[in-house]
Amino acid sequence: NNGSNTMRLLVTILLGCALAIAGAVQAQPEGGDRTIKHREILRMGLYPPDVIMRHQQRLGITGEQRETISAAVSKFQTDVAGLQWELQNEQQLLQQSLSGYRIETDETLTRVEQVLQLESQFKLLHFELLIAIKNTLTEQQIDMIRARMRELRQERGAASG
């Protein structure tokens, strides 16, 4: 029963992280398709928490690994929550600066710099999470993920060819 409570907590935390990431990605001006972003992350050799969660049985994720990943996700959520509010606010202020007939150059460029800094902070936090997750995995688990990714690429190639 304690194991199922831990599993429920992990699922809740990881779903919250996925929502936080999706919300922050949507808040960024470049936007983009989440699937493409996932693929880019995977190509870099990093693994989003929802991928690990979906395949935890196949990967043999241990209780200790689950706790470590959950802690990293919780830290990410905490760090990102305030940042998202600040980023949204700055983006709205920037939009207001750009909406007039004439634009106050210095003020607007200061706002642009602030938005870019906040987006950069978010990306750094995201990489911090992804690196923590990868460092939690064993070499065997990473090899299993890589093998599965190769299989999926081959399947996609066969389906499109």
Side-chain angles (χ1 to χ4, degrees), residues 142-153:
I142 292 170
D143 288 341
M144 290 172 69
I145 294 169
R146 289 176 178 166
R148 180 64 182 141
M149 288 171 54
R150 276 192 302 275
E151 289 171 15
L152 291 172
R153 276 194 302 272

Side-chain angles (χ1 to χ4, degrees), residues 14 24 39 42 57 59 75 77 94 114 117 119 130 157:
L14 291 176
R39 286 183 186 155
L42 291 167
Q57 290 301 315
L59 292 171
K75 180 186 181 316
Q77 287 177 316
L94 175 60
Q114 182 63 22
Q117 285 177 341
E119 288 176 350
L130 295 171

Side-chain angles (χ1 to χ4, degrees), residues 23 26-27 83-93:
Q26 288 173 353
L83 193 58
Q84 283 179 297
W85 278 92
E86 194 175 346
L87 178 59
Q88 283 289 329
N89 184 57
E90 287 297 324
Q91 286 176 327
Q92 290 171 19
L93 292 171

Side-chain angles (χ1 to χ4, degrees), residues 7-117:
M7 181 59 72
R8 273 192 222 116
L9 176 63
L10 177 64
V11 168
T12 302
I13 289 170
L14 291 176
L15 286 174
C17 178
L19 291 173
I21 291 170
V25 167
Q26 288 173 353
Q28 295 174 14
E30 70 222 32
D33 179 56
R34 187 170 185 272
T35 304
I36 292 170
K37 298 239 182 242
H38 243 64
R39 286 183 186 155
E40 288 173 7
I41 290 169
L42 291 167
R43 266 190 237 120
M44 285 187 270
L46 298 171
Y47 315 110
D50 59 311
V51 170
I52 304 303
M53 183 178 71
R54 257 194 327 268
H55 302 286
Q56 63 185 301
Q57 290 301 315
R58 182 182 306 159
L59 292 171
I61 298 296
T62 66
E64 184 179 336
Q65 286 175 308
R66 223 181 336 267
E67 288 175 22
T68 300
I69 292 170
S70 292
V73 168
S74 292
K75 180 186 181 316
F76 174 79
Q77 287 177 316
T78 300
D79 292 346
V80 165
L83 193 58
Q84 283 179 297
W85 278 92
E86 194 175 346
L87 178 59
Q88 283 289 329
N89 184 57
E90 287 297 324
Q91 286 176 327
Q92 290 171 19
L93 292 171
L94 175 60
Q95 200 168 21
Q96 289 170 9
S97 295
L98 297 170
S99 66
Y101 290 105
R102 307 229 16 101
I103 298 172
E104 173 54 50
T105 304
D106 292 338
E107 177 186 322
T108 302
L109 290 178
T110 299
R111 292 227 181 273
V112 168
E113 286 177 345
Q114 182 63 22
V115 167
L116 293 174
Q117 285 177 341

